[in-house]
Amino acid sequence: MKVPGILKRGLIPATRLRFTGHMQTIIRNMGDLNNTEAMREHVKPAHDSTYEFKSFAIRPCDEDQDIRKRYRPFLLSDEISESDWVSKLELATAAKMVDTELLVQNKDRLKILVLYGSLRARSFSKLLAYEASRILFRLGCDVRVYDPAGLPVKDDEQHDHPKVRELRELSKWSDGHVWISPEQHGNLTAVFKNQIDWIPLSTGSVRPTQGRTLAIAQVNGGSQSFNAVNSLRILGRWMRMFTIPNQSSIPQAWTHFTDANDPVDGGNRLKPSSNRDRLVDCMEELVKYTIVMRPHFDLFGDRFSEREEAKVKK
């Protein structure tokens, strides 16, 4: 048996070798980075190749055209959408869940609201929101992207403003959200926070976002950071939403998108990278979590403290 350098240098006593009896055990337990001793056994879902590249996107003939025009600015022409990178993603596990647990049983499609945090003409948070929406749409979600342009700054007077009512109705309609903000001055933008501030935490006994699932992402002008997504997690918790474990952060976002007039995939598209793969992970995970949790939505509004308060009021 070869003696490793750390033993030769005296970092591991020879008595420990005799005690364990297996060099492999010593190496496996040297620190926590690669220590799998406490790991739960992982069983991968059965792979069904018939769902690998299947699309469950809503067809134009199956939906209201006003909704399609108003809330789906991410849609591409048929020529592009049938060959772009989203159509080539292997999403068998999530696609099978959508088909067998929703569509075959004639249940409603997942309703996902997408919010982004910039009003720039070429907003990278908006472009990332569009890419996320395309993935979700292919997985059969009813995706609606809210345009924050024209939303007034939060106050106590403009509750009947059309943009405020629209945002609140979309939040009420949704099963889950996707929040994408640029990082500015080390945190999320005012444009994004203003949208969340207009969604009340509580309206009487109704919590508009209680129990919804949430996926989060950020874009950076410089090097990668996670300040915005960390703040988005805090917001999600206070809105009583279930934020999925995964998240996406795109560094130097201006380098990750094709030019606006690029003929490939319609322009303004995410270039291949591990960052793009992470976005796919997040959207796939959001679909899985929402399918699992939506049937139990009403359970999350049943709280001990509120039951006790109700007893006192009777």
Side-chain angles (χ1 to χ4, degrees):
M1 179 176 66
K2 281 189 174 183
V3 179
I6 52 176
L7 179 59
K8 290 180 181 179
R9 294 193 297 269
L11 299 180
I12 297 181
T15 53
R16 183 176 177 187
L17 281 178
R18 291 193 295 271
F19 178 76
T20 61
H22 298 284
M23 178 64 70
Q24 186 177 6
T25 302
I26 294 175
I27 295 174
R28 187 171 63 243
N29 290 326
M30 290 194 305
D32 292 329
L33 185 60
N34 297 307
N35 191 337
T36 59
E37 291 296 303
M39 184 177 178
R40 183 175 181 175
E41 183 179 356
H42 177 63
V43 180
K44 290 186 176 181
H47 184 80
D48 190 335
S49 60
T50 60
Y51 287 94
E52 283 184 352
F53 306 105
K54 198 171 183 65
S55 173
F56 293 105
I58 304 172
R59 299 178 301 175
C61 60
D62 292 332
E63 71 168 339
D64 186 309
Q65 292 307 298
D66 289 338
I67 294 294
R68 195 175 184 92
K69 182 178 180 180
R70 183 173 187 176
Y71 292 117
R72 312 208 205 282
F74 55 85
L75 290 178
L76 303 167
S77 66
D78 292 340
E79 295 79 11
I80 296 175
S81 62
E82 291 176 1
S83 61
D84 81 321
W85 68 266
V86 172
S87 68
K88 299 173 185 175
L89 297 172
E90 186 279 290
L91 301 172
T93 304
K96 186 174 183 179
M97 288 179 69
V98 169
D99 190 29
T100 59
E101 300 189 34
L102 297 180
L103 303 182
V104 170
Q105 301 179 48
N106 289 318
K107 295 180 181 178
D108 289 342
R109 292 173 181 265
L110 301 183
K111 298 185 283 290
I112 306 296
L113 171 61
V114 180
L115 305 178
Y116 60 89
S118 173
L119 299 178
R120 293 175 60 194
R122 191 168 188 252
S123 160
F124 293 112
S125 66
K126 179 171 68 176
L127 296 183
L128 189 64
Y130 286 3
E131 293 287 52
S133 298
R134 292 177 183 117
I135 300 167
L136 294 169
F137 196 66
R138 187 197 139 181
L139 286 170
C141 298
D142 183 346
V143 185
R144 303 189 184 185
V145 179
Y146 177 77
D147 181 357
L151 181 69
V153 175
K154 176 67 170 68
D155 58 27
D156 290 329
E157 299 178 359
Q158 301 186 74
H159 298 282
D160 290 327
H161 190 286
K163 292 294 291 188
V164 174
R165 292 202 308 268
E166 178 189 8
L167 177 59
R168 290 181 171 181
E169 286 301 315
L170 285 170
S171 181
K172 181 180 178 181
W173 159 88
S174 67
D175 298 313
H177 289 198
V178 176
W179 292 354
I180 301 178
S181 175
E183 182 180 276
Q184 190 167 29
H185 302 311
N187 217 310
L188 54 85
T189 61
V191 171
F192 188 88
K193 182 60 163 56
N194 189 48
Q195 294 173 77
I196 304 305
D197 288 345
W198 274 118
I199 303 174
L201 177 62
S202 178
T203 304
S205 61
V206 178
R207 289 172 175 78
T209 50
Q210 177 93 20
R212 266 71 167 177
T213 50
L214 172 62
I216 57 176
Q218 72 174 70
V219 293
N220 306 279
S223 60
Q224 188 173 51
S225 79
F226 300 93
N227 294 329
V229 286
N230 288 338
S231 292
L232 292 174
R233 285 192 179 278
I234 293 172
L235 278 178
R237 184 171 73 243
W238 281 99
M239 300 303 285
R240 297 180 181 174
M241 304 175 79
F242 287 89
T243 308
I244 65 170
N246 222 330
Q247 61 189 26
S248 172
S249 175
I250 308 289
Q252 296 182 320
W254 50 277
T255 67
H256 282 268
F257 287 87
T258 60
D259 293 337
N261 58 357
D262 193 312
V264 179
D265 293 345
N268 285 325
R269 305 301 305 280
L270 266 176
K271 300 175 183 178
S273 71
S274 60
N275 291 292
R276 190 174 82 173
D277 292 346
R278 176 61 66 87
L279 178 71
V280 178
D281 288 345
C282 291
M283 297 306 103
E284 184 181 41
E285 192 171 282
L286 176 66
V287 168
K288 292 175 181 177
Y289 270 90
T290 309
I291 288 175
V292 170
M293 296 182 66
R294 188 174 70 169
H296 311 291
F297 180 81
D298 291 336
L299 291 176
F300 303 123
D302 181 36
R303 301 159 66 90
F304 168 77
S305 59
E306 292 172 2
R307 294 196 302 271
E308 292 298 298
E309 288 176 8
K311 290 178 184 178
V312 174
K313 292 177 181 178
K314 286 184 178 179

